[in-house]
Short mmCIF file of all heavy atoms in Angstrom, two decimals:
data_model
loop_
_atom_site.label_atom_id
_atom_site.label_comp_id
_atom_site.label_asym_id
_atom_site.label_seq_id
_atom_site.Cartn_x
_atom_site.Cartn_y
_atom_site.Cartn_z
N ILE A 56 -34.97 35.81 5.92
CA ILE A 56 -34.61 36.30 7.25
C ILE A 56 -34.58 37.82 7.22
O ILE A 56 -34.05 38.43 6.29
CB ILE A 56 -33.25 35.74 7.69
CG1 ILE A 56 -33.35 34.22 7.90
CG2 ILE A 56 -32.75 36.42 8.96
CD1 ILE A 56 -32.02 33.56 8.22
N PHE A 57 -35.14 38.43 8.25
CA PHE A 57 -35.11 39.88 8.39
C PHE A 57 -33.83 40.30 9.12
O PHE A 57 -33.42 39.65 10.08
CB PHE A 57 -36.33 40.38 9.17
CG PHE A 57 -37.62 40.23 8.42
CD1 PHE A 57 -38.44 39.14 8.64
CD2 PHE A 57 -38.02 41.20 7.50
CE1 PHE A 57 -39.64 38.99 7.96
CE2 PHE A 57 -39.22 41.07 6.81
CZ PHE A 57 -40.04 39.95 7.04
N HIS A 58 -33.24 41.40 8.67
CA HIS A 58 -32.01 41.93 9.27
C HIS A 58 -32.27 43.34 9.81
O HIS A 58 -31.82 44.33 9.21
CB HIS A 58 -30.88 41.96 8.24
CG HIS A 58 -30.40 40.61 7.82
ND1 HIS A 58 -29.19 40.10 8.22
CD2 HIS A 58 -30.97 39.66 7.05
CE1 HIS A 58 -29.02 38.89 7.70
NE2 HIS A 58 -30.10 38.61 6.99
N PRO A 59 -32.99 43.47 10.92
CA PRO A 59 -33.22 44.81 11.46
C PRO A 59 -31.90 45.44 11.89
O PRO A 59 -31.05 44.79 12.48
CB PRO A 59 -34.13 44.55 12.67
CG PRO A 59 -33.87 43.13 13.04
CD PRO A 59 -33.57 42.42 11.76
N ARG A 60 -31.77 46.72 11.60
CA ARG A 60 -30.51 47.42 11.88
C ARG A 60 -30.64 48.46 12.99
O ARG A 60 -29.71 49.20 13.25
CB ARG A 60 -29.99 48.07 10.60
CG ARG A 60 -29.70 47.07 9.48
CD ARG A 60 -29.04 47.74 8.28
NE ARG A 60 -29.96 48.66 7.62
CZ ARG A 60 -30.84 48.30 6.68
NH1 ARG A 60 -30.94 47.02 6.33
NH2 ARG A 60 -31.64 49.19 6.11
N SER A 61 -31.82 48.52 13.61
CA SER A 61 -32.03 49.47 14.70
C SER A 61 -33.18 48.98 15.57
O SER A 61 -33.95 48.10 15.17
CB SER A 61 -32.37 50.87 14.15
OG SER A 61 -33.64 50.84 13.51
N THR A 62 -33.30 49.59 16.74
CA THR A 62 -34.42 49.26 17.63
C THR A 62 -35.74 49.58 16.97
O THR A 62 -36.72 48.84 17.12
CB THR A 62 -34.28 50.03 18.96
OG1 THR A 62 -33.04 49.68 19.58
CG2 THR A 62 -35.42 49.71 19.91
N GLU A 63 -35.79 50.67 16.20
CA GLU A 63 -37.03 51.03 15.51
C GLU A 63 -37.41 49.99 14.47
O GLU A 63 -38.59 49.68 14.29
CB GLU A 63 -36.90 52.42 14.87
CG GLU A 63 -38.18 52.98 14.29
CD GLU A 63 -39.31 53.04 15.33
OE1 GLU A 63 -39.04 53.37 16.49
OE2 GLU A 63 -40.47 52.76 14.94
N HIS A 64 -36.42 49.43 13.78
CA HIS A 64 -36.71 48.34 12.84
C HIS A 64 -37.33 47.15 13.56
O HIS A 64 -38.26 46.51 13.04
CB HIS A 64 -35.42 47.90 12.15
CG HIS A 64 -34.92 48.83 11.11
ND1 HIS A 64 -33.73 48.64 10.44
CD2 HIS A 64 -35.44 49.98 10.60
CE1 HIS A 64 -33.54 49.62 9.58
NE2 HIS A 64 -34.56 50.46 9.67
N VAL A 65 -36.82 46.84 14.72
CA VAL A 65 -37.37 45.72 15.50
C VAL A 65 -38.82 46.00 15.85
O VAL A 65 -39.69 45.12 15.70
CB VAL A 65 -36.53 45.47 16.76
CG1 VAL A 65 -37.22 44.46 17.68
CG2 VAL A 65 -35.13 44.98 16.40
N ARG A 66 -39.13 47.20 16.30
CA ARG A 66 -40.51 47.54 16.65
C ARG A 66 -41.43 47.41 15.44
O ARG A 66 -42.55 46.89 15.54
CB ARG A 66 -40.57 48.97 17.19
CG ARG A 66 -39.89 49.16 18.54
CD ARG A 66 -40.10 50.57 19.06
NE ARG A 66 -41.52 50.81 19.32
CZ ARG A 66 -42.04 52.02 19.58
NH1 ARG A 66 -41.25 53.08 19.60
NH2 ARG A 66 -43.31 52.16 19.81
N LEU A 67 -40.95 47.85 14.29
CA LEU A 67 -41.75 47.76 13.06
C LEU A 67 -42.05 46.31 12.72
O LEU A 67 -43.18 45.96 12.36
CB LEU A 67 -40.99 48.44 11.92
CG LEU A 67 -41.68 48.50 10.54
CD1 LEU A 67 -42.95 49.32 10.64
CD2 LEU A 67 -40.73 49.11 9.51
N LEU A 68 -41.06 45.45 12.85
CA LEU A 68 -41.25 44.03 12.55
C LEU A 68 -42.20 43.37 13.54
O LEU A 68 -43.03 42.54 13.15
CB LEU A 68 -39.89 43.32 12.56
CG LEU A 68 -39.03 43.53 11.32
CD1 LEU A 68 -37.60 43.06 11.57
CD2 LEU A 68 -39.62 42.75 10.13
N LEU A 69 -42.08 43.71 14.81
CA LEU A 69 -42.98 43.11 15.80
C LEU A 69 -44.42 43.56 15.56
O LEU A 69 -45.35 42.74 15.70
CB LEU A 69 -42.54 43.49 17.21
CG LEU A 69 -41.16 42.99 17.66
CD1 LEU A 69 -40.96 43.23 19.16
CD2 LEU A 69 -40.95 41.53 17.34
N ASP A 70 -44.63 44.80 15.21
CA ASP A 70 -45.97 45.28 14.89
C ASP A 70 -46.54 44.52 13.70
O ASP A 70 -47.72 44.10 13.71
CB ASP A 70 -45.96 46.78 14.58
CG ASP A 70 -45.78 47.64 15.83
OD1 ASP A 70 -45.99 47.09 16.94
OD2 ASP A 70 -45.44 48.82 15.69
N ALA A 71 -45.72 44.33 12.67
CA ALA A 71 -46.17 43.61 11.47
C ALA A 71 -46.52 42.16 11.80
O ALA A 71 -47.53 41.63 11.35
CB ALA A 71 -45.10 43.68 10.39
N ALA A 72 -45.67 41.51 12.58
CA ALA A 72 -45.93 40.12 12.94
C ALA A 72 -47.21 40.01 13.76
O ALA A 72 -48.03 39.10 13.53
CB ALA A 72 -44.74 39.57 13.74
N ARG A 73 -47.41 40.91 14.70
CA ARG A 73 -48.62 40.87 15.53
C ARG A 73 -49.86 41.07 14.67
O ARG A 73 -50.87 40.35 14.82
CB ARG A 73 -48.53 41.95 16.60
CG ARG A 73 -49.56 41.82 17.70
CD ARG A 73 -49.47 42.96 18.71
NE ARG A 73 -48.13 43.13 19.25
CZ ARG A 73 -47.29 44.09 18.89
NH1 ARG A 73 -47.65 44.97 17.95
NH2 ARG A 73 -46.09 44.18 19.42
N ASN A 74 -49.82 42.00 13.72
CA ASN A 74 -50.97 42.28 12.86
C ASN A 74 -51.27 41.12 11.92
O ASN A 74 -52.43 40.92 11.52
CB ASN A 74 -50.72 43.56 12.05
CG ASN A 74 -50.68 44.80 12.92
OD1 ASN A 74 -51.25 44.82 14.02
ND2 ASN A 74 -50.00 45.85 12.45
N GLN A 75 -50.24 40.37 11.54
CA GLN A 75 -50.42 39.26 10.60
C GLN A 75 -50.62 37.92 11.31
O GLN A 75 -50.73 36.88 10.67
CB GLN A 75 -49.21 39.17 9.67
CG GLN A 75 -49.02 40.38 8.77
CD GLN A 75 -47.73 40.30 7.96
OE1 GLN A 75 -47.28 39.21 7.60
NE2 GLN A 75 -47.14 41.45 7.67
N GLY A 76 -50.67 37.94 12.64
CA GLY A 76 -50.88 36.70 13.37
C GLY A 76 -49.69 35.76 13.32
O GLY A 76 -49.85 34.54 13.44
N LYS A 77 -48.49 36.32 13.18
CA LYS A 77 -47.27 35.51 13.13
C LYS A 77 -46.47 35.69 14.43
O LYS A 77 -46.70 36.62 15.19
CB LYS A 77 -46.43 35.88 11.92
CG LYS A 77 -47.13 35.63 10.61
CD LYS A 77 -46.24 35.96 9.42
CE LYS A 77 -46.95 35.66 8.11
NZ LYS A 77 -46.08 35.92 6.93
N ARG A 78 -45.53 34.78 14.62
CA ARG A 78 -44.64 34.87 15.76
C ARG A 78 -43.24 35.25 15.32
O ARG A 78 -42.93 35.25 14.12
CB ARG A 78 -44.64 33.54 16.53
CG ARG A 78 -46.00 33.24 17.18
CD ARG A 78 -46.00 31.91 17.90
NE ARG A 78 -47.23 31.71 18.65
CZ ARG A 78 -47.51 30.63 19.36
NH1 ARG A 78 -46.63 29.63 19.43
NH2 ARG A 78 -48.65 30.53 20.02
N VAL A 79 -42.38 35.53 16.30
CA VAL A 79 -41.04 36.08 16.01
C VAL A 79 -40.01 35.30 16.80
O VAL A 79 -40.16 35.08 18.01
CB VAL A 79 -40.97 37.57 16.39
CG1 VAL A 79 -39.56 38.10 16.16
CG2 VAL A 79 -41.98 38.38 15.60
N ARG A 80 -38.95 34.89 16.11
CA ARG A 80 -37.78 34.31 16.78
C ARG A 80 -36.54 35.01 16.26
O ARG A 80 -36.49 35.46 15.11
CB ARG A 80 -37.68 32.81 16.52
CG ARG A 80 -38.81 31.99 17.11
CD ARG A 80 -38.89 32.10 18.62
NE ARG A 80 -37.73 31.51 19.27
CZ ARG A 80 -37.45 31.65 20.56
NH1 ARG A 80 -38.23 32.40 21.33
NH2 ARG A 80 -36.38 31.08 21.09
N VAL A 81 -35.51 35.10 17.11
CA VAL A 81 -34.28 35.81 16.76
C VAL A 81 -33.13 34.82 16.69
O VAL A 81 -32.97 33.97 17.59
CB VAL A 81 -33.97 36.91 17.80
CG1 VAL A 81 -32.71 37.68 17.39
CG2 VAL A 81 -35.15 37.86 17.93
N LEU A 82 -32.33 34.92 15.64
CA LEU A 82 -31.15 34.08 15.50
C LEU A 82 -29.95 34.74 16.16
O LEU A 82 -29.80 35.96 16.12
CB LEU A 82 -30.80 33.87 14.02
CG LEU A 82 -31.83 33.22 13.12
CD1 LEU A 82 -31.25 33.04 11.72
CD2 LEU A 82 -32.27 31.88 13.66
N GLY A 83 -29.10 33.92 16.74
CA GLY A 83 -27.78 34.38 17.15
C GLY A 83 -26.77 33.67 16.26
O GLY A 83 -26.82 33.76 15.04
N SER A 84 -25.88 32.91 16.86
CA SER A 84 -24.90 32.15 16.09
C SER A 84 -25.38 30.73 15.82
O SER A 84 -24.68 29.94 15.20
CB SER A 84 -23.56 32.09 16.83
OG SER A 84 -23.74 31.44 18.08
N GLN A 85 -26.58 30.38 16.30
CA GLN A 85 -27.19 29.06 16.12
C GLN A 85 -26.38 27.95 16.78
O GLN A 85 -26.25 26.85 16.25
CB GLN A 85 -27.42 28.76 14.63
CG GLN A 85 -28.32 29.76 13.96
CD GLN A 85 -28.60 29.44 12.51
OE1 GLN A 85 -29.01 28.34 12.19
NE2 GLN A 85 -28.36 30.40 11.63
N HIS A 86 -25.84 28.25 17.95
CA HIS A 86 -25.13 27.23 18.72
C HIS A 86 -26.07 26.44 19.62
O HIS A 86 -25.66 25.45 20.22
CB HIS A 86 -24.01 27.86 19.55
CG HIS A 86 -22.73 27.99 18.80
ND1 HIS A 86 -21.62 27.23 19.07
CD2 HIS A 86 -22.38 28.76 17.75
CE1 HIS A 86 -20.65 27.54 18.23
NE2 HIS A 86 -21.08 28.48 17.43
N SER A 87 -27.31 26.87 19.75
CA SER A 87 -28.29 26.13 20.53
C SER A 87 -28.92 25.04 19.66
O SER A 87 -28.79 25.04 18.43
CB SER A 87 -29.38 27.06 21.05
OG SER A 87 -28.86 27.97 22.00
N VAL A 88 -29.63 24.13 20.32
CA VAL A 88 -30.39 23.11 19.60
C VAL A 88 -31.40 23.81 18.70
O VAL A 88 -32.01 24.82 19.08
CB VAL A 88 -31.09 22.18 20.61
CG1 VAL A 88 -32.01 21.21 19.90
CG2 VAL A 88 -30.06 21.42 21.43
N ARG A 89 -31.61 23.28 17.52
CA ARG A 89 -32.38 23.97 16.49
C ARG A 89 -33.79 24.35 16.92
O ARG A 89 -34.26 25.47 16.67
CB ARG A 89 -32.43 23.08 15.24
CG ARG A 89 -32.93 23.80 14.00
CD ARG A 89 -32.78 22.90 12.77
NE ARG A 89 -33.20 23.58 11.56
CZ ARG A 89 -32.45 24.42 10.87
NH1 ARG A 89 -31.23 24.71 11.30
NH2 ARG A 89 -32.89 24.99 9.77
N ASP A 90 -34.52 23.45 17.58
CA ASP A 90 -35.90 23.75 17.96
C ASP A 90 -36.00 24.78 19.06
O ASP A 90 -37.06 25.36 19.29
CB ASP A 90 -36.63 22.47 18.37
CG ASP A 90 -37.02 21.62 17.16
OD1 ASP A 90 -36.77 22.07 16.03
OD2 ASP A 90 -37.57 20.52 17.36
N VAL A 91 -34.91 25.00 19.78
CA VAL A 91 -34.86 26.08 20.77
C VAL A 91 -34.94 27.44 20.07
O VAL A 91 -35.51 28.39 20.59
CB VAL A 91 -33.55 25.99 21.59
CG1 VAL A 91 -33.32 27.25 22.42
CG2 VAL A 91 -33.58 24.76 22.49
N ILE A 92 -34.39 27.50 18.86
CA ILE A 92 -34.21 28.77 18.16
C ILE A 92 -35.40 29.12 17.28
O ILE A 92 -36.00 30.19 17.40
CB ILE A 92 -32.95 28.74 17.28
CG1 ILE A 92 -31.73 28.30 18.08
CG2 ILE A 92 -32.73 30.08 16.61
CD1 ILE A 92 -30.52 27.99 17.23
N PHE A 93 -35.76 28.22 16.37
CA PHE A 93 -36.66 28.56 15.28
C PHE A 93 -38.13 28.41 15.65
O PHE A 93 -38.50 27.61 16.52
CB PHE A 93 -36.36 27.70 14.05
CG PHE A 93 -35.06 28.02 13.39
CD1 PHE A 93 -33.95 27.24 13.63
CD2 PHE A 93 -34.95 29.10 12.55
CE1 PHE A 93 -32.74 27.53 13.03
CE2 PHE A 93 -33.74 29.41 11.94
CZ PHE A 93 -32.63 28.62 12.18
N GLY A 94 -38.97 29.16 14.93
CA GLY A 94 -40.40 29.00 15.01
C GLY A 94 -40.90 28.21 13.80
O GLY A 94 -40.14 27.49 13.15
N ALA A 95 -42.19 28.34 13.52
CA ALA A 95 -42.76 27.68 12.35
C ALA A 95 -42.30 28.39 11.08
O ALA A 95 -41.80 29.52 11.11
CB ALA A 95 -44.29 27.68 12.45
N SER A 96 -42.47 27.72 9.94
CA SER A 96 -41.92 28.24 8.69
C SER A 96 -42.50 29.60 8.30
O SER A 96 -41.84 30.41 7.66
CB SER A 96 -42.16 27.23 7.55
OG SER A 96 -43.54 26.99 7.39
N GLN A 97 -43.76 29.87 8.70
CA GLN A 97 -44.38 31.13 8.31
C GLN A 97 -44.03 32.28 9.25
O GLN A 97 -44.36 33.43 8.99
CB GLN A 97 -45.90 30.97 8.25
CG GLN A 97 -46.59 30.81 9.60
CD GLN A 97 -46.67 29.36 10.04
OE1 GLN A 97 -45.96 28.51 9.50
NE2 GLN A 97 -47.52 29.08 11.01
N ASP A 98 -43.36 32.00 10.36
CA ASP A 98 -43.07 33.04 11.33
C ASP A 98 -41.89 33.91 10.90
O ASP A 98 -41.13 33.55 10.00
CB ASP A 98 -42.78 32.41 12.70
CG ASP A 98 -44.02 31.79 13.32
OD1 ASP A 98 -45.14 32.20 12.95
OD2 ASP A 98 -43.88 30.87 14.15
N PHE A 99 -41.73 35.05 11.57
CA PHE A 99 -40.64 35.96 11.27
C PHE A 99 -39.37 35.49 11.97
O PHE A 99 -39.38 35.21 13.18
CB PHE A 99 -40.98 37.38 11.75
CG PHE A 99 -41.95 38.13 10.88
CD1 PHE A 99 -42.68 37.49 9.90
CD2 PHE A 99 -42.12 39.50 11.05
CE1 PHE A 99 -43.58 38.19 9.09
CE2 PHE A 99 -43.01 40.22 10.26
CZ PHE A 99 -43.74 39.56 9.28
N THR A 100 -38.28 35.45 11.23
CA THR A 100 -36.97 35.14 11.81
C THR A 100 -36.08 36.36 11.64
O THR A 100 -35.94 36.90 10.55
CB THR A 100 -36.33 33.93 11.10
OG1 THR A 100 -37.23 32.82 11.17
CG2 THR A 100 -35.01 33.55 11.76
N LEU A 101 -35.47 36.80 12.76
CA LEU A 101 -34.66 38.02 12.76
C LEU A 101 -33.21 37.69 13.03
O LEU A 101 -32.89 36.80 13.82
CB LEU A 101 -35.15 38.98 13.85
CG LEU A 101 -36.37 39.87 13.60
CD1 LEU A 101 -37.60 39.08 13.21
CD2 LEU A 101 -36.67 40.73 14.84
#
Side-chain angles (χ1 to χ4, degrees):
I56 293 175
F57 291 97
H58 291 253
R60 299 186 293 274
S61 67
T62 301
E63 188 56 39
H64 285 176
V65 171
R66 293 185 63 191
L67 182 63
L68 282 166
L69 297 190
D70 286 343
R73 193 183 307 103
N74 292 336
Q75 296 174 32
K77 298 183 178 182
R78 294 178 173 179
V79 177
R80 295 299 294 169
V81 182
L82 301 183
S84 61
Q85 300 182 52
H86 273 250
S87 293
V88 174
R89 193 173 182 82
D90 284 357
V91 168
I92 307 169
F93 290 100
S96 60
Q97 71 272 16
D98 291 337
F99 283 13
T100 304
L101 279 56

